[in-house]
Amino acid sequence: MRSQQTSRVKIGIYLGGTGSDGGTYQYALSMLQALQLLPTDRYDVHAFCRTPDWEHRCAALGVPTHSVPAYRVLARAVSWVLRALPQTGLSRTINSRVVPFGRVLKSGGFDVCIYPNYEQFAYELDTRSIGIIYDMMHRHEPSFPEVSAGEAAQRRDHILSRTYRGATVTLVDSEIGKQHVIDAYGGTGDSLVVMPYTVPEYIVAAPERDDDVTLADARIAVPSKYLFYPAQYWPHKNHVRLLEALARVTRTSPDVRLVLVGSPKIGHDSVLKAIRELDLDGNVTRLGYVPDEAIPALYRKARALVFACIFGPTGIPPIEAQALGCPVAAPNTYAYPEQLGDGALFFDPWSVDEIAGCIERLWTDDALCAEMAAKGRENVRRLLPDRFATRLAEVIELTLERGL
């Protein structure tokens, strides 16, 4: 095994997806930025980019980039045959010599490759790998079509089970997330490593400037007082129950306002319908997609974040809010209480009454909002990028120790 005291480790990170992917894209970007915080006398970082966006991101950070070589006919045929068979060391060895990307890793002398998105290379090649399992919600919340329609659940099981069994190390966000994987796929979970989400760099490094000016520059108009929910319009984001809760609060607080940010997905039409039927046109502002540069201003100006998501185990928006001093209300399910500590109010995301109760308290109680903001800032200190980078270095060293 290489000496960890004297040798420089060559690390690849495989970057796919776009900003419209939401949290998975932000996590990949946080991983890339964390690699840049590691000591260069120990780690030599390179990126394999699937999109021009990632090439631009890497150029801005000074990370050397490489294109991902295309499959040729023979390599694709061999790879498809091997995918239909059980994973073995032999199949990974063959793939690494046949698949163009596997050959690049070998010829380039890469010690570890990190896959922050779901990629088959995490378990199909014999270069040490760090994969990730974001959640097992297709098992725990199967009623939602985004994880169960057609063969979606089977595809997720195929990829996630193979990542768990084939990657050298697989990251999960929480102890609950780790147990979900073990419950689904068996084993002892020795390859699973808990690595909580971090606050994205664009939040931590947000410039201190007049938020009204920032929003005006972005041509964004919001009420003077509002609740905030940034989430793409998937059914599991639970917008409809949030709107039903908001409608109940209007009976006692008719001035309550909600600002929604997010790209249209398959739940978008149901949200529009709920706004109409609940007569909330005057209470809800929909901004659509908002660039990262304007998001911190929206958090800072907000009365509170109401994070109504059904899925877990944890999420990124609640810790973004905590880092910017925005009070948080979040689900009491999965690992959200573990993630957010005493810096949030909690509700059952299936209960309109409980969501409404949190909205009412945050809308009307200034002292409570101040308390939640202070406790949130304290809680999130352990989830800032420098801590994330330190943990990533530990994971890389663990991956090297485990070998092949």
Side-chain angles (χ1 to χ4, degrees):
M1 190 177 84
R2 66 165 59 237
S3 169
Q4 294 186 13
Q5 279 67 44
T6 60
S7 300
R8 198 162 181 239
V9 180
K10 193 169 185 180
I11 301 171
I13 180 168
Y14 189 97
L15 298 169
T18 66
S20 64
D21 293 332
T24 59
Y25 178 85
Q26 286 295 343
Y27 186 81
L29 181 56
S30 292
M31 186 74 72
L32 176 65
Q33 291 164 335
L35 288 171
Q36 283 303 96
L37 296 177
L38 302 185
T40 56
D41 61 345
R42 172 63 178 154
Y43 303 103
D44 179 20
V45 178
H46 297 252
F48 295 92
C49 303
R50 294 295 306 271
T51 67
D53 173 66
W54 279 118
E55 291 176 354
H56 297 324
R57 291 277 192 181
C58 290
L61 291 169
V63 178
T65 61
H66 308 264
S67 59
V68 179
Y71 273 93
R72 294 181 179 177
V73 175
L74 177 60
R76 188 176 296 277
V78 171
S79 183
W80 274 108
V81 170
L82 291 175
R83 281 178 197 169
L85 301 174
Q87 290 174 268
T88 64
L90 177 60
S91 68
R92 285 191 281 272
T93 298
I94 294 172
N95 259 325
S96 290
R97 284 151 182 76
V98 174
V99 173
F101 182 62
R103 295 204 303 270
V104 167
L105 291 177
K106 285 294 184 185
S107 64
F110 284 88
D111 298 288
V112 179
C113 193
I114 302 172
Y115 301 90
N117 303 100
Y118 295 144
E119 297 289 348
Q120 73 271 15
F121 295 138
Y123 53 82
E124 287 185 350
L125 305 178
D126 66 1
T127 298
R128 297 177 187 88
S129 61
I130 298 174
I132 186 166
I133 295 179
Y134 286 103
D135 64 69
M136 296 292 296
M137 291 299 105
H138 64 294
R139 293 285 189 115
H140 291 268
E141 304 290 353
S143 64
F144 290 94
E146 54 265 48
V147 293
S148 62
E151 297 181 352
Q154 294 92 322
R155 287 196 298 270
R156 284 172 63 92
D157 270 333
H158 177 84
I159 293 171
L160 302 186
S161 64
R162 291 191 167 215
T163 298
Y164 170 43
R165 297 187 181 108
T168 313
V169 165
T170 300
L171 304 178
V172 291
D173 69 339
S174 60
E175 290 294 339
I176 288 176
K178 180 178 179 177
Q179 192 60 50
H180 283 177
V181 176
I182 296 170
D183 290 345
Y185 305 132
T188 61
D190 288 346
S191 65
L192 298 174
V193 174
V194 175
M195 189 165 175
Y197 297 148
T198 186
V199 181
E201 185 67 27
Y202 84 94
I203 294 290
V204 176
E208 291 291 340
R209 62 175 300 198
D210 188 313
D211 292 329
D212 291 323
V213 172
T214 298
L215 297 179
D217 288 347
R219 298 183 179 181
I220 294 172
V222 293
S224 59
K225 180 182 177 183
Y226 60 89
L227 303 167
F228 187 41
Y229 187 33
Q232 298 185 55
Y233 291 92
W234 294 108
H236 76 266
K237 296 299 185 180
N238 209 24
H239 286 88
V240 172
R241 283 188 185 84
L242 174 60
L243 292 168
E244 290 172 350
L246 188 76
R248 294 192 186 184
V249 175
T250 61
R251 299 170 190 168
T252 54
S253 299
D255 63 332
V256 68
R257 298 290 184 270
L258 173 67
V259 171
L260 300 176
V261 165
S263 303
K265 299 295 181 182
I266 60 174
H268 188 243
D269 288 347
S270 64
V271 173
L272 298 182
K273 180 181 178 183
I275 291 172
R276 288 194 306 270
E277 292 182 350
L278 294 167
D279 194 23
L280 290 173
D281 290 286
N283 300 87
V284 178
T285 300
R286 293 179 298 108
L287 298 179
Y289 172 78
V290 171
D292 286 351
E293 295 75 20
I295 292 293
L298 290 169
Y299 276 122
R300 284 193 292 245
K301 284 181 63 65
R303 178 71 172 186
L305 168 73
V306 183
F307 190 72
C309 187
I310 296 289
F311 282 10
T314 62
I316 295 176
I319 58 174
E320 291 180 330
Q322 286 188 334
L324 291 170
C326 177
V328 173
N332 62 7
T333 52
Y334 299 118
Y336 287 110
E338 170 191 331
Q339 180 191 36
L340 303 175
D342 63 355
L345 298 183
F346 293 102
F347 55 78
D348 177 353
W350 296 95
S351 169
V352 172
D353 285 342
E354 289 196 21
I355 300 171
C358 286
I359 290 175
E360 183 73 43
R361 292 179 66 194
L362 289 168
W363 191 254
T364 60
D365 192 332
D366 294 344
L368 175 65
C369 285
E371 178 187 355
M372 288 296 100
K375 289 182 175 179
R377 282 188 183 275
E378 181 61 28
N379 174 74
V380 86
R381 290 173 60 185
R382 61 191 172 87
L383 301 173
L384 294 177
D386 58 339
R387 303 283 187 91
F388 186 76
T390 298
R391 180 61 172 153
L392 179 58
E394 295 171 352
V395 171
I396 291 170
E397 298 299 334
L398 175 64
T399 305
L400 292 170
E401 290 173 6
R402 292 195 170 175
L404 298 174

